[in-house]
Amino acid sequence: MLKGKVAIVTGSTSGIGLGIARELAKAGADLVLNGFGEASEIEAIRSAIEREHGVRVVYDGADMSKGDAVRGLIAATIAKFGRLDILVNNAGIQFTAPVDEFPAAKWDAILAINLSAAFHGIAAAVPQMKKQRWGRIVNIASAHGLVASTHKAAYVAAKHGMVGLTKVVGLETAGTGVTCNAVCPGWVRTPLVEKQISDIAAQRGISQKQAAEELLSEKQPSLDFASPEQLGGTVAFLCSVAAEQITGTAISVDGGWTAR
Ligand code: NAD
């Protein structure tokens, strides 16, 4: 389905991004992996995807907190592959504290990585996609792009911003062969959420299993985590012919979180 297409997935050395990268490779896309981690682990991930799916996979360690580096990632990909078809803005971080105690540096970092990186990436990618008359931009927002929770001022602000940015880019690219959509996951058991489970377990003196159940029962009516593979499948769908007329919207994969 995506043979000959080139995809960038930011923050794809772990969690949801890695799940998305694997699903796009399974569908035949060549890939640019991005994110932090041990060089040897990243190389193992890169070569395994290449081997398993017979696609070309390169790694670029661009820091998504820096606008110039984000734009450099797009330019380097176009220089290397001669095209860019799919941009998945996925890299993200979390920090929790009441708004009056929220460290300004954490606010700046979350806004930079979870929101501004998508702006810089999209701004740099859209001209190439328009030239090709085909492009798919997928912004990984969150249930927190649609509703709020306490202690997540920066994250909720950034994710709501991501949904707004998605609408604007969907309108600006309508009719050009380029689409832009947001995907809004509920809880997915990745390192980002594992830390929140550990924090609950420590605060309440309960086990990891109990803390995970508590996290789910508070927000996610299905009482089950969504998986990185399912998120990858959603992104692959948005890149399919069936999704050609889907643009400027937000698709929830949240077990019912935002239905109530
Ligand atoms: P994760 O911590 O497993 O992965 C985050 C990825 O981003 C890693 O590859 C990391 O190296 C990369 N990254 C972090 N800072 C970076 C930077 N400055 N430059 C480049 N890469 C950087 O987290 P995850 O849960 O897979 O989260 C992925 C995305 O999904 C995030 O945007 C997150 O907000 C969103 N999300 C996650 C959940 C969830 O329940 N896990 C729910 C909704 C939305």
Side-chain angles (χ1 to χ4, degrees):
M1 180 179 91
L2 298 177
K3 210 165 170 31
K5 304 274 193 226
V6 174
I8 299 174
V9 185
T10 71
S12 48
T13 52
S14 166
I16 294 172
L18 181 53
I20 294 169
R22 287 192 171 124
E23 290 302 312
L24 293 179
K26 202 199 273 183
D30 292 325
L31 277 183
V32 179
L33 295 176
N34 161 262
F36 298 149
E38 271 293 316
S40 59
E41 278 174 32
I42 293 172
E43 175 50 25
I45 290 169
R46 191 203 65 76
S47 58
I49 297 177
E50 209 166 52
R51 211 172 38 245
E52 279 163 34
H53 302 293
V55 295
R56 197 172 155 203
V57 185
V58 301
Y59 167 71
D60 186 315
D63 182 347
M64 295 297 104
S65 69
K66 302 191 165 60
D68 288 349
V70 181
R71 288 171 188 263
L73 168 66
I74 306 294
T77 301
I78 295 168
K80 199 169 288 170
F81 289 90
R83 56 186 303 119
L84 172 60
D85 303 280
I86 299 165
L87 171 62
V88 184
N89 293 303
N90 166 79
I93 58 169
Q94 176 63 286
F95 185 84
T96 58
V99 69
D100 49 328
E101 294 169 19
F102 213 93
K106 291 285 184 197
W107 169 274
D108 290 344
I110 290 176
L111 268 287
I113 297 168
N114 296 19
L115 179 58
S116 298
F119 157 68
H120 291 292
I122 290 168
V126 158
Q128 176 69 24
M129 291 180 171
K130 278 186 173 167
K131 201 155 66 183
Q132 295 169 189
R133 299 205 61 76
W134 199 94
R136 294 289 175 269
I137 299 164
V138 184
N139 296 322
I140 305 304
S142 168
H144 284 117
L146 303 169
V147 296
S149 294
T150 55
H151 299 175
K152 293 188 175 175
Y155 190 85
V156 169
K159 295 298 187 181
H160 273 67
M162 191 79 139
V163 172
L165 174 66
T166 300
K167 293 179 185 178
V168 173
V169 177
L171 288 177
E172 288 185 4
T173 56
T176 66
V178 180
T179 69
C180 178
N181 292 289
V183 173
C184 296
W187 295 124
V188 185
R189 199 152 186 177
T190 66
L192 183 140
V193 164
E194 210 61 56
K195 182 175 178 311
Q196 295 175 66
I197 294 172
S198 301
D199 289 348
I200 293 174
Q203 273 161 19
R204 314 243 171 100
I206 55 178
S207 69
Q208 289 283 117
K209 186 168 177 289
Q210 285 168 318
E213 283 166 3
E214 212 164 282
L215 196 85
L216 286 170
S217 64
E218 189 200 348
K219 301 281 188 189
Q220 200 141 306
S222 65
L223 301 180
D224 206 355
F225 291 95
S227 70
E229 293 72 26
Q230 289 165 348
L231 272 311
T234 308
V235 173
F237 164 70
L238 286 170
C239 297
S240 74
V241 175
E244 243 165 40
Q245 288 302 317
I246 301 179
T247 197
T249 199
I251 297 183
S252 291
V253 184
D254 67 2
W257 179 328
T258 52
R260 56 183 182 192

